[in-house]
Amino acid sequence: MFEKGRHLLSRRVCQGLILAAFALGPWMSLPVAQGTLGSSVWFGRVPLSDPFVLLQSLVAGHPLSGSALWGGLIVLVFYALVGGRVFCGWVCPINLVTDAAQGLRRALGWRKARVLRIDKRLRYGILVFSLLGSVVAGLALWELINPINLVMRSLVFGLWLGGLIAVIGIFLFDFLVLSNGWCGHVCPVGGFYGAMGRYSVVQVAAVRRDACNDCGDCFTYCPEPQVISPALRAINGHGVQIDEIDCLRCGRCIDVCEQQVFQFSVVRRVPPGGQPRDVDPAALREPGRRI
């Protein structure tokens, strides 16, 4: 049972520990993490800043401190290496809300039901509008309504109303209107982080795609099921790695696959003109079988 949910459990522990770190300061006077996910200082020394927040502030004309810039660089390098939407699946508190909505949809058999059809490119339009609006308004425009900020302010500063409205609104939107509607179609933060980790070295790979029995569990549980087919079906000669920017690296496909088709792998990259990139050969090796 644990094997089927080990990555889900790991994600919940990670999300819980991060939220607890921010709450310990105002609640118990233990300043592990001071600030919010937008800008924080860990253990009184290590600055971390959301690059998207910094970009909005920069185009709005706000001066940025050296610590904020260093914090943004640390976060940028980390997510560029491990995959930007790892933030969405392992850190963002809104993921708890959207996963709950998807779980209830699956339980009721509503997984594919929708009231609206929204193009996934909408979030990139909102991203661009947020930046242009920040230029015009002279402030970080998206952060005024960013539900991540609203939830963090509730946790850290006790401003519960905004966070509660955000949580209920997003849950109802994903549950009643469109599965994975907020994170997969609307939120510009996910779009930004996905683009930031476009060439990450950590990816999920269908290393045993020949063992797939077409049960469909990976498509059922994956919040972004469209990312699976190219790697699983070798569409257009695609390699085994799932390198679509929408992949959250959440590991749900690994958890639910009885055939153990998927696993996390480290991608080997080469300069242009070299051999095609592939996953780490050690990750592909199986007894008596080579891919």
Side-chain angles (χ1 to χ4, degrees):
M1 185 68 179
F2 172 73
E3 283 297 313
K4 293 200 66 174
R6 65 189 187 280
H7 291 100
L8 177 60
L9 177 61
S10 298
R11 287 167 54 216
R12 295 298 177 250
V13 170
C14 183
Q15 290 164 328
L17 289 176
I18 290 172
L19 291 176
F22 283 102
L24 283 175
W27 291 5
M28 301 182 65
S29 300
L30 296 174
V32 177
Q34 297 172 292
T36 68
L37 285 172
S39 180
S40 60
V41 177
W42 287 73
F43 307 108
R45 292 180 177 273
V46 182
L48 294 178
S49 304
D50 185 332
F52 185 48
V53 175
L54 291 185
L55 184 57
Q56 292 176 77
S57 299
L58 182 64
V59 299
H62 295 175
L64 301 178
S65 67
S67 62
L69 292 173
W70 275 113
L73 180 61
I74 293 171
V75 173
L76 183 67
V77 170
F78 176 78
Y79 285 116
L81 290 175
V82 303
R85 293 207 69 195
V86 165
F87 171 82
C88 303
W90 292 77
V91 177
C92 180
I94 300 301
N95 174 256
L96 297 166
V97 180
T98 58
D99 273 6
Q102 285 192 49
L104 186 55
R105 273 177 158 262
R106 283 194 300 270
L108 296 175
W110 293 3
R111 187 173 65 88
K112 295 184 178 180
R114 68 179 74 189
V115 174
L116 294 177
R117 184 181 295 275
I118 303 176
D119 194 309
K120 283 182 170 291
R121 292 173 293 185
L122 172 63
R123 57 187 165 182
Y124 298 107
I126 297 175
L127 191 157
V128 172
F129 178 80
S130 298
L131 294 176
L132 293 177
S134 296
V135 174
V136 175
L139 49 82
L141 188 63
W142 177 252
E143 302 316 305
L144 296 178
I145 60 171
N146 186 351
I148 302 172
N149 267 357
L150 295 176
V151 169
M152 293 302 298
R153 288 170 186 164
S154 297
L155 182 70
V156 175
F157 304 117
L159 304 175
W160 296 105
L161 181 59
L164 185 62
I165 291 174
V167 166
I168 293 175
I170 290 174
F171 179 85
L172 292 177
F173 180 67
D174 271 36
F175 176 54
L176 298 175
V177 179
L178 177 63
S179 179
N180 196 36
W182 179 261
C183 295
H185 298 76
V186 177
C187 181
V189 178
F192 177 83
Y193 273 100
M196 193 167 72
R198 178 66 180 87
Y199 299 103
S200 65
V201 298
V202 178
Q203 294 175 349
V204 177
V207 295
R208 298 184 67 242
R209 62 185 176 195
D210 291 344
C212 177
N213 62 358
D214 295 319
C215 69
D217 285 348
C218 55
F219 292 96
T220 298
Y221 285 88
C222 178
E224 299 280 3
Q226 77 281 355
V227 308
I228 297 177
S229 288
L232 189 60
R233 308 301 182 202
I235 295 175
N236 296 325
H238 198 284
V240 296
Q241 65 277 356
I242 299 177
D243 55 8
E244 305 292 327
I245 64 175
D246 288 340
C247 178
L248 277 67
R249 276 78 167 171
C250 65
R252 286 301 281 152
C253 57
I254 303 174
D255 284 350
V256 303
C257 181
E258 295 283 355
Q259 307 303 315
Q260 299 181 342
V261 170
F262 303 96
Q263 68 181 50
F264 281 109
S265 298
V266 176
V267 176
R268 175 172 54 86
R269 300 189 182 278
V270 296
Q275 295 296 318
R277 67 185 178 88
D278 206 343
V279 296
D280 181 2
L284 299 177
R285 196 174 298 121
E286 301 174 37
R289 181 172 180 265
R290 294 187 65 185
I291 296 179

